Amino acid sequence: MNHNTPLSPRPLSHLSEVHRRVLTTAQLRTHGVPAAEVNEQCRPGGPWQQILPGVVLLHSGPPTGEERLHAVLMYAARERTAGVPVQPGAEGPHRPTYTETMVTGLAALTLHGFTAAGPLPSLDHIDVLVPRMRRLRSTGCARVVRTSALPTPQQVKGVPVAPVPRALADAVAGLSDANEVRRLLTEAVRGGHCEPAAVVRELNNAKLLGRPHVVDAVDSLLAEGRSIAEDRLYRMVSEHGLPAPVWNVDLRLPGGPHLGGLDAYWPEQAVAVELDTRAPRQDEDALWSEYARKREHLERLGITVVHITPKKLRDAMEQQAAVVRTALMAAADRDPAAYVVVLPR
């Protein structure tokens, strides 16, 4: 048998292209190739190569990025289809079902479309996320990342991939270059992949916020996220025909205490908009309580506060504009608000 000989008794024509080139030893047995023959084909100078333990690349050249991805997943996964024969004549390409595993880290970010993560062939290793109790070691191009709770993977090009916030946290855990970390976090927000709060939550869960270069990058991330959210708020007012508010103001009682800053305020209607750009680090409940106390204080003074998250502005701008418009229209039916002093912030 050579590397061009069809495997017997089941040819590989039912497999998608990459799955004709990367197979587990269990799959090869299913196709009638015994372990001794696999070892012979993978000898030095032979037509095949063992790319990872139990995973064979059916050619002798360097693996492509896609081949490395599937090899790592095959190595890490409990594959339901590994030893299940495919019936002759079965329609459609066969794709293995990877269970309890997904790509994470820089490789996942590349699949999500991050340019700052670099192309797959340039990565020294591919991070694969598995349950904490799995007995699996990092080897070759596969770096095992363990977790007590697997997130729900996203399918990207037929590959299970960790959601962007989790992939970012796993990538940052292995980086010491502050500029590289900052580039990744900035692209996450500018590229619309996720909101800053989701990223900071994952970094906090991974206990990465004690690293100075990560903290600096997070500060830049939060500033970037607020700037983008403010731009969306300006667009919402303009594109949906809302009356112009006063922007970025502080409210005070005459001769009294500071009531808090607001992103937009309509003095005649006593309606305020506040962007919720909180990025929980340690005590999310305390942060929320601060927002709630401020809102309750303003509403006791007769000021309606509309709370908008950056995610809602991004995904449902028209709906948020309708909420603000309703609050403005309802002002005529409310008792007059207390007089407050409006100052630029």
Side-chain angles (χ1 to χ4, degrees), residues 49-281:
Q49 56 186 302
Q50 181 172 290
I51 185 172
L52 286 167
V55 183
V56 176
L57 186 61
L58 303 189
H59 65 76
S60 58
T64 66
E66 187 181 15
E67 287 169 348
R68 292 174 78 215
L69 275 176
H70 286 280
V72 168
L73 286 168
M74 286 179 180
Y75 168 68
R78 296 188 179 103
E79 242 193 297
R80 291 177 180 174
T81 58
V84 180
V86 178
Q87 298 301 318
E91 295 182 359
H94 166 70
R95 288 189 180 276
T97 302
Y98 300 118
T99 59
E100 293 192 324
T101 185
M102 67 193 73
V103 179
T104 190
L106 289 174
L109 296 178
T110 295
L111 291 171
H112 281 298
F114 279 64
T115 59
L120 286 175
S122 72
L123 302 180
D124 293 333
H125 57 262
I126 293 171
D127 291 327
V128 60
L129 193 60
V130 301
R132 188 176 301 280
M133 300 306 294
R134 286 288 309 278
R135 291 185 176 181
L136 196 67
R137 63 183 178 86
S138 298
T139 184
C141 62
R143 186 167 72 178
V144 175
V145 179
R146 303 180 189 282
T147 182
S148 57
L150 281 175
T152 301
Q154 299 174 354
Q155 293 294 320
V156 181
K157 299 179 180 178
V159 173
V161 179
V164 168
R166 177 61 202 245
L168 273 170
D170 289 332
V172 168
L175 298 175
S176 58
D177 187 307
N179 290 329
E180 191 172 359
V181 172
R182 186 177 295 107
R183 282 195 298 269
L184 288 173
L185 299 191
T186 299
E187 186 171 354
V189 176
R190 284 184 183 173
H193 295 284
C194 60
E195 298 300 328
V199 177
V200 177
R201 186 175 293 109
E202 285 290 351
L203 294 175
N204 183 46
N205 291 342
K207 298 180 172 55
L208 296 173
L209 293 179
R211 302 183 183 182
H213 69 285
V214 176
V215 173
D216 290 344
V218 165
D219 289 341
S220 297
L221 170 77
L222 297 179
E224 182 80 21
R226 168 157 277 280
S227 176
I228 291 172
E230 288 174 346
D231 287 343
R232 288 177 184 153
L233 184 58
Y234 298 148
R235 281 178 44 216
M236 184 191 80
V237 170
S238 174
E239 293 176 8
H240 293 276
L242 297 173
V246 289
W247 298 102
N248 295 315
V249 296
D250 272 320
L251 299 187
R252 293 181 183 274
L253 288 173
H258 171 71
L259 298 173
L262 298 169
D263 294 285
Y265 185 58
W266 287 263
E268 292 185 10
Q269 294 87 0
V271 171
V273 165
E274 184 168 31
L275 287 172
D276 180 2
T277 55
R278 290 173 299 139
R281 302 191 186 199

